[in-house]
């Protein structure tokens, strides 16, 4: 991947607004304007220093891999973390034969959605790949792994299971029987 491709990766996480205590989805990027990680999460990644560099390493940047003072992060064999116990989960168009109110319209509306493969990686991310061409379309960093992410950059890194479980999906009605609002959840 080029630096442009690394910087344009769609990597999401969840943060808690430190004043309202409400969770919201944000980009996994290093900014201090409250549009991405909160101060606590940035503190986990900073781990003494190099927080933005460490985050960029996790996003796939390899320029600081080397185990020296000028290249302080471990050398990886691949940007993609190893997949050990996570099973790949396939998601395509919704099935269309459920008789629940509003479901047929939902299935019709999403009949051409991009088929995706989802799998957890021990790089701290749940990855979503196009089942058509294999390109990563998104990744998600659960906020529960955030405090341990600096371990992934250490030159003396010892394997840790991060996002090692298997994803699954289902369709739910977020509305009511009278006013259905169907969504697919992963």
């Amino acid at each position: 991947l080029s630096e442009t491709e690394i910087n344009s990766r769609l990597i999401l996480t969840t943060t808690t607004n430190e004043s309202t205590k409400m969770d919201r989805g944000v980009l996994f990027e290093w900014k201090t304007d409250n549009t991405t990680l909160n101060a606590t999460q940035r503190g986990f990644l900073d781990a003494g220093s190099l927080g933005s560099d460490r985050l960029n390493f996790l996003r796939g940047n390899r320029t600081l891999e080397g185990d020296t003072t000028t290249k302080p992060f471990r050398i990886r064999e691949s940007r993609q973390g190893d997949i050990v116990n996570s099973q790949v989960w396939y998601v395509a168009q919704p099935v269309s034969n459920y008789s629940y109110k509003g479901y047929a319209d939902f299935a019709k509306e999403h009949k051409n959605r991009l088929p995706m493969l989802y799998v957890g990686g021990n790089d701290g991310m749940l990855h979503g790949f196009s089942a058509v061409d294999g390109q990563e379309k998104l990744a998600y960093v659960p906020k529960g792994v955030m405090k341990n992410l600096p371990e992934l950059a250490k030159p003396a890194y010892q394997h840790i299971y991060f996002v090692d479980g298997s994803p699954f999906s289902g369709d739910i009605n977020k509305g009511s029987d009278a006013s259905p609002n169907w969504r697919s959840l992963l």
Side-chain angles (χ1 to χ4, degrees):
L1 294 174
S2 70
E3 290 305 306
T4 301
E5 291 170 314
I6 291 167
N7 293 334
S8 65
R9 285 180 72 194
L10 177 59
I11 304 176
L12 306 169
T13 191
T14 304
T15 191
T16 303
N17 181 300
E18 293 176 343
S19 59
T20 66
K21 305 299 180 203
M22 298 291 292
D23 284 350
R24 65 187 173 99
V26 296
L27 295 171
F28 185 70
E29 294 178 353
W30 191 271
K31 294 181 182 175
T32 57
D33 61 1
N34 295 324
T35 62
T36 60
L37 306 179
N38 64 32
T40 301
Q41 291 170 316
R42 287 191 307 274
F44 290 144
L45 290 169
D46 209 23
S49 65
L50 301 174
S52 65
D53 291 328
R54 189 170 288 107
L55 182 135
N56 288 329
F57 169 87
L58 296 167
R59 288 183 58 85
N61 184 309
R62 300 188 83 168
T63 58
L64 294 179
E65 292 181 17
D67 196 16
T68 66
T69 54
T70 58
K71 294 189 175 204
F73 301 138
R74 75 177 171 100
I75 298 170
R76 298 175 279 193
E77 292 181 29
S78 170
R79 288 181 177 98
Q80 171 66 51
D82 62 329
I83 298 167
V84 179
N85 294 309
S86 183
Q87 298 294 312
V88 175
W89 189 260
Y90 177 78
V91 177
Q93 69 278 1
V95 295
S96 60
N97 58 350
Y98 291 146
S99 60
Y100 302 115
K101 184 175 182 181
Y103 192 83
D105 292 334
F106 167 75
K108 184 177 179 182
E109 180 182 347
H110 297 285
K111 70 179 181 178
N112 294 318
R113 73 178 170 195
L114 179 66
M116 295 287 292
L117 299 171
Y118 296 97
V119 66
N122 289 300
D123 53 6
M125 298 181 197
L126 172 73
H127 297 274
F129 300 98
S130 164
V132 174
D133 64 12
Q135 295 295 309
E136 182 186 63
K137 296 297 182 184
L138 68 101
Y140 176 74
V141 178
K143 73 178 185 176
V145 303
M146 195 75 63
K147 67 181 178 182
N148 294 318
L149 289 178
E151 296 297 318
L152 290 166
K154 290 181 178 178
Y157 169 73
Q158 296 292 311
H159 188 273
I160 300 171
Y161 294 97
F162 275 92
V163 183
D164 200 49
S166 298
F168 62 93
S169 64
D171 297 333
I172 65 153
N173 180 2
K174 287 183 59 178
S176 64
D177 289 340
S179 180
N181 182 7
W182 286 95
R183 296 284 186 259
S184 293
L185 294 183
L186 179 71

